[in-house]
Amino acid sequence: MSSIAALIVAAGQGQRAGGSVPKQFQPLVGEPVLRRSVAAFAAVPEIRMVQVVTSANRMAETETALGGLACLPFAMGGATRQHSVRNGLEALALYAPDFVLVHDAARPLVSAALIRRVAAALDEGAAAAIPLVRVADTLKREDAGEWATVPRDALYRAQTPQGFRFAALLAAHREFADAGVTDDMALAELAGLPITRVVGEETNLKITKEEDFTLAAALLRGMTSEFRTGQGFDAHRFTAGDHVWLCGVKIPHAAGLEGHSDADAGLHALTDAILGALGAGDIGQHFPPTDEKWRGVPSSMFLAHAAGLVAAAGGAVVHCDVTLICERPKIAPHREAMRARIAEILRIDIARVSVKATTTEGMGFPGRGEGLAAQAVATVGLPPV
Ligand code: MG
């Protein structure tokens, strides 16, 4: 199978959208614009790696926005968009992917279907696959008070992701390093690469001005009109130790919990509930316990991954409810910290998170203190099928 890299350009300082930080770091329905853009690619299995290009003075914002998403180490932006893309391509050269999809962070509504159309065109032999949308409005040109109508028959709007054979795009960037182009298709034109047109999407909005946030939010919410519920269950055995992790909170205890990761049964049950709502399998499929790389990892990573899948599907976690089942440790003193931590990982309001606890009146394995269990339900809002 061909290897495909995504290159997300987030180095722009554009402040036309208002606010104290560039638009890609501003929240759109609870999630930074950049996070939505990256999550869209991270959730498409065909995309092998995601390279983000950010500016040196926005490293902290970029880290925060992308917490929990699998990305390569960030590449540094240049003086222009073209230079930023070039820097990202040079960083990707280490991995020599077959194809690269270059995407503007400011287009957070890109669909998995469009990403796949671009990738498929490359797989079928295209050197450059560009999403294009026909211009529908009648175009007018003003020249010193004189108006003229511009024929629109052959006019298109170019969107991203723009897909290329990696080696061809890198060569074009090196050859035309200071061409001052505003997209990569322009370099393909300069380099004489044949262009394959992919059908773009009207909803693949580019957030430029402040009012674009309102429009993007309305589109996102309009796309979220179906609600699904998933449930999850998990249990872990007590073992020697002096603390347990439950719902992302470290609790001192006379025993530890046995497990491949940090054995946080609360977050495991919740992750499974969200995966269940998506019909996306279970936690063991996404993070096999046979895989050494998940040994000892914090379970917040699993939950953040599930949340990323929801965002990539254009949806949102509306509500979740976790019940911890154990005699000890006592949960009540930690309940609010658990709610806060889950809300933080899911990037939702704490009012949408419930954590409860119960015992089994001394019966069964939780009652005998052999281990503890957790169950969870999650409600996810998704675009209509
Ligand atoms: Mg587990």
Side-chain angles (χ1 to χ4, degrees):
M1 209 180 96
S2 311
S3 73
I4 309 177
L7 198 170
I8 314 292
V9 198
Q13 305 287 346
Q15 308 231 334
R16 260 186 297 172
S20 56
V21 293
K23 63 203 172 189
Q24 61 270 30
F25 300 109
Q26 293 180 33
L28 170 63
V29 193
E31 292 221 321
V33 169
L34 171 61
R35 184 177 183 84
R36 288 190 177 276
S37 297
V38 170
F41 285 84
V44 175
E46 294 92 318
I47 304 297
R48 196 76 66 79
M49 58 196 108
V50 181
Q51 174 71 65
V52 174
V53 185
T54 189
S55 50
N57 62 339
R58 298 291 178 190
M59 287 297 286
E61 285 99 334
T62 309
E63 295 270 5
T64 306
L66 298 179
L69 290 176
C71 298
L72 296 172
F74 306 141
M76 286 301 120
T80 63
R81 182 190 184 279
Q82 187 185 342
H83 291 149
S84 294
V85 173
R86 164 86 183 268
N87 291 352
L89 293 171
E90 297 288 356
L92 275 172
L94 185 66
Y95 308 93
D98 297 311
F99 306 127
V100 62
L101 270 52
V102 183
H103 186 66
D104 289 323
R107 292 187 189 268
L109 302 187
V110 61
S111 72
L114 178 57
I115 294 170
R116 288 203 165 98
R117 277 204 297 280
V118 173
L122 294 169
D123 229 15
E124 286 160 17
I130 315 293
L132 294 160
V133 176
R134 276 188 189 278
V135 172
D137 297 326
T138 300
L139 297 177
K140 304 293 181 183
R141 186 178 53 226
E142 195 235 43
D143 185 8
E146 295 290 316
W147 288 92
T149 299
V150 180
R152 69 179 176 210
D153 312 352
L155 291 181
Y156 294 86
R157 290 182 286 130
Q159 301 185 331
T160 67
Q162 300 187 348
F164 304 89
R165 281 186 209 138
F166 179 77
L169 184 63
L170 179 56
H173 268 271
R174 286 175 178 169
E175 186 178 349
F176 303 100
D178 294 305
V181 297
T182 53
D183 77 347
D184 295 277
M185 176 171 166
L187 281 179
E189 295 157 18
L190 285 172
L193 294 178
I195 306 288
T196 298
R197 179 185 156 211
V198 173
V199 179
E201 285 173 343
E202 289 293 348
T203 50
N204 184 17
L205 180 75
K206 183 171 184 182
I207 296 183
T208 310
K209 308 176 296 297
E210 197 168 351
E211 56 261 39
D212 295 337
F213 276 94
T214 313
L215 181 55
L219 282 168
L220 254 181
R221 292 207 171 93
M223 292 169 183
T224 309
S225 65
E226 180 176 312
F227 294 92
R228 296 194 209 161
T229 302
Q231 60 97 25
F233 176 84
D234 194 33
H236 282 266
R237 186 186 292 276
F238 283 123
T239 184
D242 60 7
H243 69 273
V244 296
W245 283 94
L246 282 174
C247 293
V249 174
K250 187 179 180 178
I251 302 173
H253 189 51
L257 285 171
E258 201 174 293
H260 188 68
S261 62
D262 63 8
D264 188 330
L267 292 192
H268 292 182
L270 179 53
T271 302
D272 259 353
I274 293 172
L275 293 175
L278 292 174
D282 61 31
I283 193 170
Q285 259 171 278
H286 291 262
F287 302 97
T290 48
D291 192 331
E292 275 308 304
K293 75 177 160 196
W294 310 125
R295 182 170 293 283
V297 300
S299 297
S300 56
M301 226 187 79
F302 306 154
L303 184 59
H305 171 78
L309 294 180
V310 173
V317 176
V318 174
H319 174 257
C320 63
D321 185 12
V322 181
T323 301
L324 297 168
I325 305 163
C326 58
E327 302 288 334
R328 277 188 193 80
K330 289 294 169 209
I331 301 304
H334 308 286
R335 186 206 308 262
E336 288 311 301
M338 291 173 171
R339 292 179 68 209
R341 181 64 183 129
I342 290 171
E344 181 183 31
I345 299 166
L346 293 177
R347 294 162 184 272
I348 60 177
D349 194 273
I350 193 169
R352 298 179 183 274
V353 179
S354 162
V355 173
K356 310 197 299 300
T358 187
T359 70
T360 54
E361 301 282 333
M363 297 178 288
F365 70 86
R368 293 189 298 270
E370 293 167 21
L372 56 74
Q375 57 191 31
V377 290
T379 304
V380 169
L382 286 170
V385 179

